[in-house]
Amino acid sequence: PNHKLTQYLHRTWQTQAGLAQASIYVVTQTHDGYLWVGTLSGGVRFDGVEFQPVRALEANSLGELWARAMVEDGAGRLWITTNGFRLIRISGNDVKVFTEKDGLPTSDFSCLVRGSGDDMWACTASGLVHFEGDKVEVHESPGQIVDRPIIGCRANDGKIWIAGGEVLASWDGSKFSRVTLKSVSGNREMRTLLCREDGVWVGTGKGLVRY
């Protein structure tokens, strides 16, 4: 904390270092230490030295994916949402693309929230879908979720918080509750969420809010 940013060594990796596309939209680190980087042209894995394409995605001929969210679950599987709202799960060399054929109400998913164990939550246009093993639970409330959620997080009490547009809402296991942010005016478009012990931090078009 006593050092200025300019006192740190830093390095930049761009296309000349092997990165396929320099526009980065998401970065996550999995339990094995690898960094997974989501770009306009798909996901790559970084070991600190070189970037490698995700062979499992290439082998399934999914084309160039604009990765928007990448989250690892408790079982070490990597979940991805794309700009086209596709939901993809990678488990070793196995790739699963979720559609209505899996008993889902939609094939459009816009954000991911890791559960408490091996489960995963995925945002739909009007709510959430909970994936746990082979079990799928759909929780939607078009009356409360009027703007598509683009970001979410899980609080210590188990509540799932989601945000999109000017709508912030939580799922407590039985119902959605909507919250109005009164501490900012003007552009309240919510762009990022962070659940912490001291509350939910919300990044908006007009500043940072703690609820």
PDB file of all heavy atoms in Angstrom, residues 120-144:
ATOM      1  N   MET A 120     -24.643 -24.020 -10.478  1.00  0.00           N
ATOM      2  CA  MET A 120     -24.450 -22.755 -11.184  1.00  0.00           C
ATOM      3  C   MET A 120     -25.806 -22.112 -11.430  1.00  0.00           C
ATOM      4  O   MET A 120     -26.809 -22.794 -11.671  1.00  0.00           O
ATOM      5  CB  MET A 120     -23.743 -22.998 -12.524  1.00  0.00           C
ATOM      6  CG  MET A 120     -23.404 -21.735 -13.305  1.00  0.00           C
ATOM      7  SD  MET A 120     -22.195 -20.669 -12.472  1.00  0.00           S
ATOM      8  CE  MET A 120     -20.734 -21.735 -12.532  1.00  0.00           C
ATOM      9  N   TRP A 121     -25.821 -20.788 -11.354  1.00  0.00           N
ATOM     10  CA  TRP A 121     -27.001 -19.999 -11.690  1.00  0.00           C
ATOM     11  C   TRP A 121     -26.726 -19.252 -12.993  1.00  0.00           C
ATOM     12  O   TRP A 121     -25.636 -18.719 -13.180  1.00  0.00           O
ATOM     13  CB  TRP A 121     -27.317 -18.992 -10.586  1.00  0.00           C
ATOM     14  CG  TRP A 121     -27.680 -19.595  -9.268  1.00  0.00           C
ATOM     15  CD1 TRP A 121     -26.821 -20.090  -8.329  1.00  0.00           C
ATOM     16  CD2 TRP A 121     -28.991 -19.783  -8.744  1.00  0.00           C
ATOM     17  NE1 TRP A 121     -27.519 -20.566  -7.236  1.00  0.00           N
ATOM     18  CE2 TRP A 121     -28.854 -20.388  -7.461  1.00  0.00           C
ATOM     19  CE3 TRP A 121     -30.274 -19.482  -9.216  1.00  0.00           C
ATOM     20  CZ2 TRP A 121     -29.947 -20.693  -6.669  1.00  0.00           C
ATOM     21  CZ3 TRP A 121     -31.373 -19.794  -8.416  1.00  0.00           C
ATOM     22  CH2 TRP A 121     -31.205 -20.399  -7.163  1.00  0.00           C
ATOM     23  N   ALA A 122     -27.721 -19.220 -13.884  1.00  0.00           N
ATOM     24  CA  ALA A 122     -27.593 -18.496 -15.140  1.00  0.00           C
ATOM     25  C   ALA A 122     -28.786 -17.564 -15.302  1.00  0.00           C
ATOM     26  O   ALA A 122     -29.928 -17.933 -14.993  1.00  0.00           O
ATOM     27  CB  ALA A 122     -27.516 -19.462 -16.323  1.00  0.00           C
ATOM     28  N   CYS A 123     -28.526 -16.358 -15.778  1.00  0.00           N
ATOM     29  CA  CYS A 123     -29.577 -15.357 -15.931  1.00  0.00           C
ATOM     30  C   CYS A 123     -30.290 -15.502 -17.262  1.00  0.00           C
ATOM     31  O   CYS A 123     -29.657 -15.647 -18.308  1.00  0.00           O
ATOM     32  CB  CYS A 123     -28.987 -13.952 -15.861  1.00  0.00           C
ATOM     33  SG  CYS A 123     -28.017 -13.609 -14.380  1.00  0.00           S
ATOM     34  N   THR A 124     -31.625 -15.448 -17.210  1.00  0.00           N
ATOM     35  CA  THR A 124     -32.444 -15.356 -18.415  1.00  0.00           C
ATOM     36  C   THR A 124     -32.913 -13.911 -18.555  1.00  0.00           C
ATOM     37  O   THR A 124     -32.561 -13.049 -17.749  1.00  0.00           O
ATOM     38  CB  THR A 124     -33.655 -16.287 -18.329  1.00  0.00           C
ATOM     39  OG1 THR A 124     -34.549 -15.807 -17.308  1.00  0.00           O
ATOM     40  CG2 THR A 124     -33.215 -17.711 -17.990  1.00  0.00           C
ATOM     41  N   ALA A 125     -33.740 -13.651 -19.552  1.00  0.00           N
ATOM     42  CA  ALA A 125     -34.230 -12.284 -19.765  1.00  0.00           C
ATOM     43  C   ALA A 125     -35.120 -11.816 -18.629  1.00  0.00           C
ATOM     44  O   ALA A 125     -35.260 -10.608 -18.399  1.00  0.00           O
ATOM     45  CB  ALA A 125     -34.980 -12.200 -21.092  1.00  0.00           C
ATOM     46  N   SER A 126     -35.716 -12.747 -17.878  1.00  0.00           N
ATOM     47  CA  SER A 126     -36.649 -12.349 -16.828  1.00  0.00           C
ATOM     48  C   SER A 126     -36.474 -13.135 -15.538  1.00  0.00           C
ATOM     49  O   SER A 126     -37.418 -13.295 -14.764  1.00  0.00           O
ATOM     50  CB  SER A 126     -38.098 -12.508 -17.324  1.00  0.00           C
ATOM     51  OG  SER A 126     -38.336 -13.832 -17.759  1.00  0.00           O
ATOM     52  N   GLY A 127     -35.263 -13.649 -15.302  1.00  0.00           N
ATOM     53  CA  GLY A 127     -35.060 -14.369 -14.057  1.00  0.00           C
ATOM     54  C   GLY A 127     -33.806 -15.197 -14.044  1.00  0.00           C
ATOM     55  O   GLY A 127     -32.765 -14.795 -14.575  1.00  0.00           O
ATOM     56  N   LEU A 128     -33.898 -16.393 -13.425  1.00  0.00           N
ATOM     57  CA  LEU A 128     -32.736 -17.245 -13.204  1.00  0.00           C
ATOM     58  C   LEU A 128     -33.071 -18.703 -13.487  1.00  0.00           C
ATOM     59  O   LEU A 128     -34.221 -19.131 -13.329  1.00  0.00           O
ATOM     60  CB  LEU A 128     -32.276 -17.144 -11.740  1.00  0.00           C
ATOM     61  CG  LEU A 128     -31.657 -15.831 -11.278  1.00  0.00           C
ATOM     62  CD1 LEU A 128     -31.670 -15.770  -9.746  1.00  0.00           C
ATOM     63  CD2 LEU A 128     -30.226 -15.703 -11.787  1.00  0.00           C
ATOM     64  N   VAL A 129     -32.042 -19.448 -13.893  1.00  0.00           N
ATOM     65  CA  VAL A 129     -32.136 -20.902 -13.978  1.00  0.00           C
ATOM     66  C   VAL A 129     -31.025 -21.479 -13.100  1.00  0.00           C
ATOM     67  O   VAL A 129     -29.873 -21.047 -13.182  1.00  0.00           O
ATOM     68  CB  VAL A 129     -31.992 -21.406 -15.423  1.00  0.00           C
ATOM     69  CG1 VAL A 129     -31.954 -22.927 -15.446  1.00  0.00           C
ATOM     70  CG2 VAL A 129     -33.139 -20.896 -16.285  1.00  0.00           C
ATOM     71  N   HIS A 130     -31.379 -22.452 -12.258  1.00  0.00           N
ATOM     72  CA  HIS A 130     -30.425 -23.074 -11.339  1.00  0.00           C
ATOM     73  C   HIS A 130     -30.082 -24.459 -11.858  1.00  0.00           C
ATOM     74  O   HIS A 130     -30.961 -25.308 -12.028  1.00  0.00           O
ATOM     75  CB  HIS A 130     -31.039 -23.155  -9.935  1.00  0.00           C
ATOM     76  CG  HIS A 130     -30.099 -23.627  -8.894  1.00  0.00           C
ATOM     77  ND1 HIS A 130     -30.497 -24.295  -7.757  1.00  0.00           N
ATOM     78  CD2 HIS A 130     -28.740 -23.523  -8.798  1.00  0.00           C
ATOM     79  CE1 HIS A 130     -29.449 -24.578  -7.017  1.00  0.00           C
ATOM     80  NE2 HIS A 130     -28.365 -24.127  -7.630  1.00  0.00           N
ATOM     81  N   PHE A 131     -28.793 -24.697 -12.110  1.00  0.00           N
ATOM     82  CA  PHE A 131     -28.311 -25.991 -12.571  1.00  0.00           C
ATOM     83  C   PHE A 131     -27.593 -26.686 -11.416  1.00  0.00           C
ATOM     84  O   PHE A 131     -26.634 -26.147 -10.868  1.00  0.00           O
ATOM     85  CB  PHE A 131     -27.327 -25.822 -13.729  1.00  0.00           C
ATOM     86  CG  PHE A 131     -27.917 -25.186 -14.961  1.00  0.00           C
ATOM     87  CD1 PHE A 131     -27.935 -23.808 -15.113  1.00  0.00           C
ATOM     88  CD2 PHE A 131     -28.448 -25.974 -15.970  1.00  0.00           C
ATOM     89  CE1 PHE A 131     -28.473 -23.224 -16.249  1.00  0.00           C
ATOM     90  CE2 PHE A 131     -28.978 -25.403 -17.108  1.00  0.00           C
ATOM     91  CZ  PHE A 131     -28.991 -24.019 -17.257  1.00  0.00           C
ATOM     92  N   GLU A 132     -28.075 -27.865 -11.059  1.00  0.00           N
ATOM     93  CA  GLU A 132     -27.444 -28.632  -9.989  1.00  0.00           C
ATOM     94  C   GLU A 132     -27.493 -30.101 -10.370  1.00  0.00           C
ATOM     95  O   GLU A 132     -28.546 -30.740 -10.303  1.00  0.00           O
ATOM     96  CB  GLU A 132     -28.150 -28.399  -8.657  1.00  0.00           C
ATOM     97  CG  GLU A 132     -27.432 -29.040  -7.474  1.00  0.00           C
ATOM     98  CD  GLU A 132     -28.037 -28.627  -6.144  1.00  0.00           C
ATOM     99  OE1 GLU A 132     -29.151 -28.074  -6.124  1.00  0.00           O
ATOM    100  OE2 GLU A 132     -27.382 -28.852  -5.116  1.00  0.00           O
ATOM    101  N   GLY A 133     -26.336 -30.649 -10.791  1.00  0.00           N
ATOM    102  CA  GLY A 133     -26.322 -32.010 -11.312  1.00  0.00           C
ATOM    103  C   GLY A 133     -27.190 -32.099 -12.550  1.00  0.00           C
ATOM    104  O   GLY A 133     -27.077 -31.292 -13.472  1.00  0.00           O
ATOM    105  N   ASP A 134     -28.099 -33.069 -12.564  1.00  0.00           N
ATOM    106  CA  ASP A 134     -29.033 -33.212 -13.676  1.00  0.00           C
ATOM    107  C   ASP A 134     -30.329 -32.457 -13.440  1.00  0.00           C
ATOM    108  O   ASP A 134     -31.254 -32.518 -14.255  1.00  0.00           O
ATOM    109  CB  ASP A 134     -29.351 -34.692 -13.908  1.00  0.00           C
ATOM    110  CG  ASP A 134     -28.129 -35.481 -14.350  1.00  0.00           C
ATOM    111  OD1 ASP A 134     -27.265 -34.894 -15.033  1.00  0.00           O
ATOM    112  OD2 ASP A 134     -28.035 -36.676 -13.979  1.00  0.00           O
ATOM    113  N   LYS A 135     -30.399 -31.751 -12.326  1.00  0.00           N
ATOM    114  CA  LYS A 135     -31.627 -31.045 -11.953  1.00  0.00           C
ATOM    115  C   LYS A 135     -31.569 -29.595 -12.428  1.00  0.00           C
ATOM    116  O   LYS A 135     -30.556 -28.914 -12.264  1.00  0.00           O
ATOM    117  CB  LYS A 135     -31.798 -31.090 -10.431  1.00  0.00           C
ATOM    118  CG  LYS A 135     -33.086 -30.489  -9.915  1.00  0.00           C
ATOM    119  CD  LYS A 135     -33.148 -30.609  -8.393  1.00  0.00           C
ATOM    120  CE  LYS A 135     -34.403 -29.964  -7.830  1.00  0.00           C
ATOM    121  NZ  LYS A 135     -34.439 -30.035  -6.348  1.00  0.00           N
ATOM    122  N   VAL A 136     -32.663 -29.136 -13.024  1.00  0.00           N
ATOM    123  CA  VAL A 136     -32.757 -27.760 -13.505  1.00  0.00           C
ATOM    124  C   VAL A 136     -34.003 -27.117 -12.904  1.00  0.00           C
ATOM    125  O   VAL A 136     -35.106 -27.664 -12.996  1.00  0.00           O
ATOM    126  CB  VAL A 136     -32.849 -27.707 -15.048  1.00  0.00           C
ATOM    127  CG1 VAL A 136     -33.045 -26.275 -15.519  1.00  0.00           C
ATOM    128  CG2 VAL A 136     -31.594 -28.301 -15.678  1.00  0.00           C
ATOM    129  N   GLU A 137     -33.838 -25.974 -12.260  1.00  0.00           N
ATOM    130  CA  GLU A 137     -34.966 -25.236 -11.690  1.00  0.00           C
ATOM    131  C   GLU A 137     -35.036 -23.857 -12.343  1.00  0.00           C
ATOM    132  O   GLU A 137     -34.029 -23.146 -12.438  1.00  0.00           O
ATOM    133  CB  GLU A 137     -34.808 -25.072 -10.177  1.00  0.00           C
ATOM    134  CG  GLU A 137     -34.905 -26.370  -9.395  1.00  0.00           C
ATOM    135  CD  GLU A 137     -34.784 -26.142  -7.904  1.00  0.00           C
ATOM    136  OE1 GLU A 137     -34.307 -25.050  -7.506  1.00  0.00           O
ATOM    137  OE2 GLU A 137     -35.163 -27.040  -7.132  1.00  0.00           O
ATOM    138  N   VAL A 138     -36.231 -23.489 -12.777  1.00  0.00           N
ATOM    139  CA  VAL A 138     -36.441 -22.213 -13.453  1.00  0.00           C
ATOM    140  C   VAL A 138     -37.180 -21.273 -12.508  1.00  0.00           C
ATOM    141  O   VAL A 138     -38.219 -21.638 -11.936  1.00  0.00           O
ATOM    142  CB  VAL A 138     -37.256 -22.406 -14.746  1.00  0.00           C
ATOM    143  CG1 VAL A 138     -37.500 -21.060 -15.427  1.00  0.00           C
ATOM    144  CG2 VAL A 138     -36.538 -23.366 -15.683  1.00  0.00           C
ATOM    145  N   HIS A 139     -36.638 -20.077 -12.328  1.00  0.00           N
ATOM    146  CA  HIS A 139     -37.270 -19.057 -11.489  1.00  0.00           C
ATOM    147  C   HIS A 139     -37.325 -17.770 -12.303  1.00  0.00           C
ATOM    148  O   HIS A 139     -36.300 -17.130 -12.535  1.00  0.00           O
ATOM    149  CB  HIS A 139     -36.468 -18.825 -10.208  1.00  0.00           C
ATOM    150  CG  HIS A 139     -36.125 -20.077  -9.466  1.00  0.00           C
ATOM    151  ND1 HIS A 139     -37.053 -20.807  -8.759  1.00  0.00           N
ATOM    152  CD2 HIS A 139     -34.949 -20.751  -9.338  1.00  0.00           C
ATOM    153  CE1 HIS A 139     -36.475 -21.866  -8.216  1.00  0.00           C
ATOM    154  NE2 HIS A 139     -35.193 -21.850  -8.547  1.00  0.00           N
ATOM    155  N   GLU A 140     -38.524 -17.399 -12.731  1.00  0.00           N
ATOM    156  CA  GLU A 140     -38.674 -16.197 -13.547  1.00  0.00           C
ATOM    157  C   GLU A 140     -39.802 -15.333 -13.007  1.00  0.00           C
ATOM    158  O   GLU A 140     -40.769 -15.831 -12.434  1.00  0.00           O
ATOM    159  CB  GLU A 140     -38.927 -16.561 -15.010  1.00  0.00           C
ATOM    160  CG  GLU A 140     -37.734 -17.228 -15.680  1.00  0.00           C
ATOM    161  CD  GLU A 140     -37.921 -17.377 -17.171  1.00  0.00           C
ATOM    162  OE1 GLU A 140     -38.979 -17.877 -17.586  1.00  0.00           O
ATOM    163  OE2 GLU A 140     -37.013 -16.974 -17.928  1.00  0.00           O
ATOM    164  N   SER A 141     -39.643 -14.036 -13.189  1.00  0.00           N
ATOM    165  CA  SER A 141     -40.661 -13.083 -12.740  1.00  0.00           C
ATOM    166  C   SER A 141     -40.644 -11.878 -13.670  1.00  0.00           C
ATOM    167  O   SER A 141     -40.012 -10.857 -13.371  1.00  0.00           O
ATOM    168  CB  SER A 141     -40.377 -12.649 -11.294  1.00  0.00           C
ATOM    169  OG  SER A 141     -41.333 -11.699 -10.863  1.00  0.00           O
ATOM    170  N   PRO A 142     -41.332 -11.978 -14.819  1.00  0.00           N
ATOM    171  CA  PRO A 142     -41.332 -10.855 -15.771  1.00  0.00           C
ATOM    172  C   PRO A 142     -41.855  -9.555 -15.172  1.00  0.00           C
ATOM    173  O   PRO A 142     -41.489  -8.468 -15.624  1.00  0.00           O
ATOM    174  CB  PRO A 142     -42.253 -11.364 -16.892  1.00  0.00           C
ATOM    175  CG  PRO A 142     -42.195 -12.851 -16.781  1.00  0.00           C
ATOM    176  CD  PRO A 142     -42.070 -13.136 -15.315  1.00  0.00           C
ATOM    177  N   GLY A 143     -42.690  -9.664 -14.135  1.00  0.00           N
ATOM    178  CA  GLY A 143     -43.199  -8.454 -13.501  1.00  0.00           C
ATOM    179  C   GLY A 143     -42.144  -7.704 -12.723  1.00  0.00           C
ATOM    180  O   GLY A 143     -42.197  -6.475 -12.589  1.00  0.00           O
ATOM    181  N   GLN A 144     -41.168  -8.421 -12.190  1.00  0.00           N
ATOM    182  CA  GLN A 144     -40.098  -7.804 -11.410  1.00  0.00           C
ATOM    183  C   GLN A 144     -38.850  -7.551 -12.262  1.00  0.00           C
ATOM    184  O   GLN A 144     -38.202  -6.519 -12.143  1.00  0.00           O
ATOM    185  CB  GLN A 144     -39.733  -8.706 -10.223  1.00  0.00           C
ATOM    186  CG  GLN A 144     -40.822  -8.841  -9.175  1.00  0.00           C
ATOM    187  CD  GLN A 144     -41.008  -7.582  -8.358  1.00  0.00           C
ATOM    188  OE1 GLN A 144     -40.112  -6.755  -8.235  1.00  0.00           O
ATOM    189  NE2 GLN A 144     -42.197  -7.415  -7.820  1.00  0.00           N
TER     190      GLN A 144
END
